[in-house]
mmCIF file of all heavy atoms in Angstrom:
data_model
loop_
_atom_site.group_PDB
_atom_site.id
_atom_site.type_symbol
_atom_site.label_atom_id
_atom_site.label_comp_id
_atom_site.label_asym_id
_atom_site.label_seq_id
_atom_site.Cartn_x
_atom_site.Cartn_y
_atom_site.Cartn_z
ATOM 1 N N THR A 218 -7.232 -6.790 -0.107
ATOM 2 C CA THR A 218 -7.963 -5.782 0.675
ATOM 3 C C THR A 218 -8.698 -4.766 -0.192
ATOM 4 O O THR A 218 -9.717 -4.222 0.237
ATOM 5 C CB THR A 218 -7.024 -5.042 1.639
ATOM 6 O OG1 THR A 218 -5.892 -4.554 0.921
ATOM 7 C CG2 THR A 218 -6.551 -5.964 2.748
ATOM 8 N N LYS A 253 -0.384 -5.014 0.275
ATOM 9 C CA LYS A 253 0.725 -4.255 -0.343
ATOM 10 C C LYS A 253 0.979 -2.944 0.378
ATOM 11 O O LYS A 253 1.114 -1.896 -0.222
ATOM 12 C CB LYS A 253 0.456 -4.063 -1.838
ATOM 13 C CG LYS A 253 0.311 -5.406 -2.568
ATOM 14 C CD LYS A 253 0.208 -5.298 -4.062
ATOM 15 C CE LYS A 253 0.217 -6.648 -4.752
ATOM 16 N NZ LYS A 253 -0.993 -7.465 -4.547
ATOM 17 N N ARG A 254 1.083 -3.030 1.715
ATOM 18 C CA ARG A 254 1.296 -1.862 2.534
ATOM 19 C C ARG A 254 2.791 -1.512 2.637
ATOM 20 O O ARG A 254 3.653 -2.282 2.212
ATOM 21 C CB ARG A 254 0.717 -2.090 3.937
ATOM 22 C CG ARG A 254 -0.785 -2.348 3.969
ATOM 23 C CD ARG A 254 -1.592 -1.174 3.459
ATOM 24 N NE ARG A 254 -2.988 -1.242 3.874
ATOM 25 C CZ ARG A 254 -3.998 -1.699 3.141
ATOM 26 N NH1 ARG A 254 -3.791 -2.138 1.916
ATOM 27 N NH2 ARG A 254 -5.238 -1.695 3.613
ATOM 28 N N ASP A 256 5.112 1.967 4.854
ATOM 29 C CA ASP A 256 5.124 3.377 5.225
ATOM 30 C C ASP A 256 6.318 3.597 6.153
ATOM 31 O O ASP A 256 7.081 2.669 6.407
ATOM 32 C CB ASP A 256 3.788 3.736 5.911
ATOM 33 C CG ASP A 256 3.403 5.192 5.709
ATOM 34 O OD1 ASP A 256 4.235 6.070 6.000
ATOM 35 O OD2 ASP A 256 2.273 5.458 5.261
ATOM 36 N N TYR A 264 0.135 -0.687 10.631
ATOM 37 C CA TYR A 264 -0.368 -1.652 9.643
ATOM 38 C C TYR A 264 -0.138 -3.095 10.130
ATOM 39 O O TYR A 264 -1.000 -3.960 9.960
ATOM 40 C CB TYR A 264 0.323 -1.458 8.288
ATOM 41 C CG TYR A 264 -0.253 -0.344 7.445
ATOM 42 C CD1 TYR A 264 0.569 0.628 6.883
ATOM 43 C CD2 TYR A 264 -1.615 -0.273 7.183
ATOM 44 C CE1 TYR A 264 0.048 1.651 6.093
ATOM 45 C CE2 TYR A 264 -2.144 0.737 6.397
ATOM 46 C CZ TYR A 264 -1.310 1.697 5.850
ATOM 47 O OH TYR A 264 -1.832 2.695 5.070
ATOM 48 N N TYR A 282 9.357 -0.112 -1.723
ATOM 49 C CA TYR A 282 9.955 1.148 -2.184
ATOM 50 C C TYR A 282 10.540 2.007 -1.068
ATOM 51 O O TYR A 282 11.540 2.695 -1.260
ATOM 52 C CB TYR A 282 8.899 1.945 -2.975
ATOM 53 C CG TYR A 282 9.454 3.147 -3.713
ATOM 54 C CD1 TYR A 282 10.306 2.981 -4.812
ATOM 55 C CD2 TYR A 282 9.136 4.440 -3.326
ATOM 56 C CE1 TYR A 282 10.813 4.071 -5.492
ATOM 57 C CE2 TYR A 282 9.640 5.542 -4.007
ATOM 58 C CZ TYR A 282 10.480 5.348 -5.097
ATOM 59 O OH TYR A 282 10.992 6.439 -5.765
ATOM 60 N N MET A 283 9.935 1.989 0.120
ATOM 61 C CA MET A 283 10.400 2.853 1.210
ATOM 62 C C MET A 283 11.523 2.230 2.052
ATOM 63 O O MET A 283 11.979 2.830 3.024
ATOM 64 C CB MET A 283 9.210 3.295 2.072
ATOM 65 C CG MET A 283 8.267 4.222 1.302
ATOM 66 S SD MET A 283 6.849 4.813 2.269
ATOM 67 C CE MET A 283 7.666 5.888 3.449
ATOM 68 N N LYS A 285 14.162 -0.457 4.213
ATOM 69 C CA LYS A 285 14.300 -1.260 5.428
ATOM 70 C C LYS A 285 13.351 -0.880 6.566
ATOM 71 O O LYS A 285 12.633 -1.724 7.097
ATOM 72 C CB LYS A 285 15.751 -1.132 5.891
ATOM 73 C CG LYS A 285 16.077 -1.754 7.229
ATOM 74 C CD LYS A 285 17.561 -1.588 7.510
ATOM 75 C CE LYS A 285 17.890 -1.952 8.957
ATOM 76 N NZ LYS A 285 19.344 -2.091 9.173
ATOM 77 N N ASP A 286 13.338 0.396 6.943
ATOM 78 C CA ASP A 286 12.543 0.761 8.120
ATOM 79 C C ASP A 286 11.047 0.748 7.851
ATOM 80 O O ASP A 286 10.245 0.880 8.781
ATOM 81 C CB ASP A 286 13.000 2.105 8.721
ATOM 82 C CG ASP A 286 12.996 3.243 7.721
ATOM 83 O OD1 ASP A 286 13.034 2.964 6.504
ATOM 84 O OD2 ASP A 286 12.965 4.422 8.127
ATOM 85 N N ALA A 303 8.563 -8.568 -5.116
ATOM 86 C CA ALA A 303 9.868 -8.608 -5.783
ATOM 87 C C ALA A 303 9.622 -8.316 -7.266
ATOM 88 O O ALA A 303 9.874 -7.209 -7.731
ATOM 89 C CB ALA A 303 10.534 -9.957 -5.564
ATOM 90 N N ASN A 307 2.341 -8.133 -13.436
ATOM 91 C CA ASN A 307 1.724 -7.216 -14.404
ATOM 92 C C ASN A 307 2.740 -6.646 -15.398
ATOM 93 O O ASN A 307 3.956 -6.756 -15.202
ATOM 94 C CB ASN A 307 1.027 -6.076 -13.652
ATOM 95 C CG ASN A 307 2.005 -5.229 -12.842
ATOM 96 O OD1 ASN A 307 2.986 -5.755 -12.297
ATOM 97 N ND2 ASN A 307 1.764 -3.942 -12.766
ATOM 98 N N ASP A 312 8.484 -1.572 -15.792
ATOM 99 C CA ASP A 312 8.752 -0.132 -15.734
ATOM 100 C C ASP A 312 9.926 0.178 -14.819
ATOM 101 O O ASP A 312 10.816 0.947 -15.188
ATOM 102 C CB ASP A 312 7.508 0.629 -15.268
ATOM 103 C CG ASP A 312 6.424 0.678 -16.335
ATOM 104 O OD1 ASP A 312 6.755 0.480 -17.523
ATOM 105 O OD2 ASP A 312 5.251 0.901 -15.986
ATOM 106 N N ASN A 317 18.240 -1.884 -14.407
ATOM 107 C CA ASN A 317 19.539 -2.192 -13.832
ATOM 108 C C ASN A 317 19.957 -1.092 -12.874
ATOM 109 O O ASN A 317 19.846 0.088 -13.187
ATOM 110 C CB ASN A 317 20.590 -2.340 -14.932
ATOM 111 C CG ASN A 317 20.627 -3.760 -15.469
ATOM 112 O OD1 ASN A 317 20.622 -4.707 -14.693
ATOM 113 N ND2 ASN A 317 20.645 -3.897 -16.777
ATOM 114 N N GLY A 319 22.946 0.383 -10.013
ATOM 115 C CA GLY A 319 24.357 0.319 -9.642
ATOM 116 C C GLY A 319 24.542 0.850 -8.243
ATOM 117 O O GLY A 319 23.785 0.518 -7.346
ATOM 118 N N ARG A 322 23.651 7.228 -5.140
ATOM 119 C CA ARG A 322 23.953 8.654 -5.091
ATOM 120 C C ARG A 322 25.215 9.060 -5.836
ATOM 121 O O ARG A 322 26.225 9.422 -5.245
ATOM 122 C CB ARG A 322 24.039 9.123 -3.640
ATOM 123 C CG ARG A 322 22.766 8.857 -2.896
ATOM 124 C CD ARG A 322 22.802 9.413 -1.514
ATOM 125 N NE ARG A 322 22.845 10.875 -1.541
ATOM 126 C CZ ARG A 322 22.885 11.619 -0.459
ATOM 127 N NH1 ARG A 322 22.918 11.073 0.721
ATOM 128 N NH2 ARG A 322 22.908 12.924 -0.547
ATOM 129 N N THR B 249 -4.142 6.056 6.689
ATOM 130 C CA THR B 249 -5.080 4.942 6.875
ATOM 131 C C THR B 249 -4.598 3.904 7.891
ATOM 132 O O THR B 249 -5.423 3.239 8.512
ATOM 133 C CB THR B 249 -5.381 4.245 5.535
ATOM 134 O OG1 THR B 249 -4.143 3.920 4.894
ATOM 135 C CG2 THR B 249 -6.205 5.140 4.624
ATOM 136 N N LYS B 284 -0.906 4.937 0.489
ATOM 137 C CA LYS B 284 0.248 4.324 -0.198
ATOM 138 C C LYS B 284 -0.129 3.001 -0.860
ATOM 139 O O LYS B 284 0.558 1.999 -0.716
ATOM 140 C CB LYS B 284 1.421 4.190 0.776
ATOM 141 C CG LYS B 284 1.872 5.562 1.315
ATOM 142 C CD LYS B 284 3.104 5.526 2.179
ATOM 143 C CE LYS B 284 3.567 6.908 2.579
ATOM 144 N NZ LYS B 284 2.706 7.612 3.549
ATOM 145 N N ARG B 285 -1.235 3.026 -1.613
ATOM 146 C CA ARG B 285 -1.730 1.833 -2.270
ATOM 147 C C ARG B 285 -1.052 1.626 -3.627
ATOM 148 O O ARG B 285 -0.321 2.481 -4.118
ATOM 149 C CB ARG B 285 -3.245 1.932 -2.470
ATOM 150 C CG ARG B 285 -4.048 2.056 -1.180
ATOM 151 C CD ARG B 285 -3.868 0.849 -0.272
ATOM 152 N NE ARG B 285 -4.945 0.757 0.717
ATOM 153 C CZ ARG B 285 -4.859 1.152 1.985
ATOM 154 N NH1 ARG B 285 -3.736 1.659 2.456
ATOM 155 N NH2 ARG B 285 -5.889 1.003 2.806
ATOM 156 N N ASP B 287 -1.464 -1.721 -6.947
ATOM 157 C CA ASP B 287 -1.651 -3.143 -7.225
ATOM 158 C C ASP B 287 -1.842 -3.290 -8.731
ATOM 159 O O ASP B 287 -1.776 -2.300 -9.463
ATOM 160 C CB ASP B 287 -2.865 -3.665 -6.436
ATOM 161 C CG ASP B 287 -2.738 -5.141 -6.076
ATOM 162 O OD1 ASP B 287 -2.476 -5.943 -6.988
ATOM 163 O OD2 ASP B 287 -2.888 -5.475 -4.896
ATOM 164 N N TYR B 295 -9.185 0.114 -5.393
ATOM 165 C CA TYR B 295 -8.668 1.079 -4.410
ATOM 166 C C TYR B 295 -9.108 2.506 -4.770
ATOM 167 O O TYR B 295 -9.474 3.299 -3.895
ATOM 168 C CB TYR B 295 -7.140 1.029 -4.339
ATOM 169 C CG TYR B 295 -6.586 -0.082 -3.483
ATOM 170 C CD1 TYR B 295 -5.596 -0.938 -3.964
ATOM 171 C CD2 TYR B 295 -7.025 -0.270 -2.174
ATOM 172 C CE1 TYR B 295 -5.066 -1.955 -3.176
ATOM 173 C CE2 TYR B 295 -6.506 -1.291 -1.384
ATOM 174 C CZ TYR B 295 -5.527 -2.122 -1.887
ATOM 175 O OH TYR B 295 -5.008 -3.129 -1.112
ATOM 176 N N TYR B 313 6.104 1.122 -7.224
ATOM 177 C CA TYR B 313 6.913 -0.050 -7.572
ATOM 178 C C TYR B 313 6.322 -0.903 -8.691
ATOM 179 O O TYR B 313 7.041 -1.475 -9.500
ATOM 180 C CB TYR B 313 7.146 -0.904 -6.324
ATOM 181 C CG TYR B 313 8.178 -1.991 -6.495
ATOM 182 C CD1 TYR B 313 9.530 -1.687 -6.674
ATOM 183 C CD2 TYR B 313 7.822 -3.337 -6.484
ATOM 184 C CE1 TYR B 313 10.476 -2.678 -6.830
ATOM 185 C CE2 TYR B 313 8.766 -4.338 -6.635
ATOM 186 C CZ TYR B 313 10.089 -4.008 -6.815
ATOM 187 O OH TYR B 313 11.032 -5.004 -6.978
ATOM 188 N N MET B 314 4.996 -1.014 -8.753
ATOM 189 C CA MET B 314 4.362 -1.884 -9.748
ATOM 190 C C MET B 314 4.134 -1.211 -11.095
ATOM 191 O O MET B 314 3.587 -1.819 -12.017
ATOM 192 C CB MET B 314 3.079 -2.490 -9.187
ATOM 193 C CG MET B 314 3.376 -3.460 -8.038
ATOM 194 S SD MET B 314 1.901 -4.239 -7.314
ATOM 195 C CE MET B 314 1.389 -5.305 -8.674
ATOM 196 N N LYS B 316 3.317 1.603 -14.336
ATOM 197 C CA LYS B 316 2.249 2.340 -15.011
ATOM 198 C C LYS B 316 0.839 1.816 -14.784
ATOM 199 O O LYS B 316 -0.056 2.563 -14.373
ATOM 200 C CB LYS B 316 2.572 2.334 -16.512
ATOM 201 C CG LYS B 316 1.521 2.900 -17.414
ATOM 202 C CD LYS B 316 2.033 2.874 -18.856
ATOM 203 C CE LYS B 316 0.911 3.173 -19.843
ATOM 204 N NZ LYS B 316 1.452 3.437 -21.203
ATOM 205 N N ASP B 317 0.628 0.518 -15.035
ATOM 206 C CA ASP B 317 -0.747 0.014 -14.961
ATOM 207 C C ASP B 317 -1.256 -0.099 -13.533
ATOM 208 O O ASP B 317 -2.440 -0.367 -13.305
ATOM 209 C CB ASP B 317 -0.921 -1.312 -15.725
ATOM 210 C CG ASP B 317 0.053 -2.383 -15.284
ATOM 211 O OD1 ASP B 317 1.101 -2.033 -14.713
ATOM 212 O OD2 ASP B 317 -0.210 -3.575 -15.490
ATOM 213 N N ALA B 334 7.810 9.635 -4.352
ATOM 214 C CA ALA B 334 9.030 9.832 -5.145
ATOM 215 C C ALA B 334 10.217 9.605 -4.211
ATOM 216 O O ALA B 334 10.857 8.553 -4.245
ATOM 217 C CB ALA B 334 9.043 11.218 -5.764
ATOM 218 N N ASN B 338 11.981 9.071 5.154
ATOM 219 C CA ASN B 338 12.600 8.149 6.128
ATOM 220 C C ASN B 338 14.014 7.738 5.708
ATOM 221 O O ASN B 338 14.440 7.955 4.572
ATOM 222 C CB ASN B 338 11.712 6.904 6.277
ATOM 223 C CG ASN B 338 11.578 6.126 4.976
ATOM 224 O OD1 ASN B 338 11.535 6.709 3.891
ATOM 225 N ND2 ASN B 338 11.501 4.815 5.066
ATOM 226 N N ASP B 343 17.676 3.285 0.641
ATOM 227 C CA ASP B 343 17.901 1.876 0.307
ATOM 228 C C ASP B 343 17.717 1.622 -1.188
ATOM 229 O O ASP B 343 18.550 0.969 -1.814
ATOM 230 C CB ASP B 343 16.954 0.972 1.103
ATOM 231 C CG ASP B 343 17.351 0.879 2.574
ATOM 232 O OD1 ASP B 343 18.520 1.173 2.885
ATOM 233 O OD2 ASP B 343 16.493 0.519 3.396
ATOM 234 N N ASN B 348 21.271 4.454 -8.488
ATOM 235 C CA ASN B 348 21.380 4.852 -9.885
ATOM 236 C C ASN B 348 20.859 3.754 -10.784
ATOM 237 O O ASN B 348 21.193 2.582 -10.598
ATOM 238 C CB ASN B 348 22.832 5.173 -10.228
ATOM 239 C CG ASN B 348 23.168 6.609 -9.922
ATOM 240 O OD1 ASN B 348 22.400 7.509 -10.253
ATOM 241 N ND2 ASN B 348 24.289 6.836 -9.277
ATOM 242 N N GLY B 350 19.985 2.401 -14.904
ATOM 243 C CA GLY B 350 20.341 2.576 -16.308
ATOM 244 C C GLY B 350 19.272 1.968 -17.175
ATOM 245 O O GLY B 350 18.096 2.165 -16.946
ATOM 246 N N TYR B 392 17.442 18.171 -2.358
ATOM 247 C CA TYR B 392 17.024 17.451 -3.564
ATOM 248 C C TYR B 392 15.959 18.210 -4.366
ATOM 249 O O TYR B 392 15.706 17.874 -5.515
ATOM 250 C CB TYR B 392 16.443 16.075 -3.200
ATOM 251 C CG TYR B 392 17.443 15.068 -2.705
ATOM 252 C CD1 TYR B 392 17.952 15.137 -1.411
ATOM 253 C CD2 TYR B 392 17.894 14.043 -3.527
ATOM 254 C CE1 TYR B 392 18.868 14.216 -0.944
ATOM 255 C CE2 TYR B 392 18.809 13.113 -3.070
ATOM 256 C CZ TYR B 392 19.290 13.206 -1.782
ATOM 257 O OH TYR B 392 20.190 12.285 -1.321
#
Side-chain angles (χ1 to χ4, degrees):
Chain A
T218 51
K253 301 187 174 70
R254 299 297 198 262
D256 209 307
Y264 279 130
Y282 190 69
M283 293 181 69
K285 173 178 169 167
D286 55 339
N307 63 325
D312 287 340
N317 273 314
R322 302 185 67 180
Chain B
T249 51
K284 299 185 175 71
R285 299 299 199 260
D287 209 308
Y295 278 130
Y313 191 68
M314 293 180 69
K316 173 177 169 168
D317 55 339
N338 62 324
D343 287 340
N348 273 315
Y392 289 76

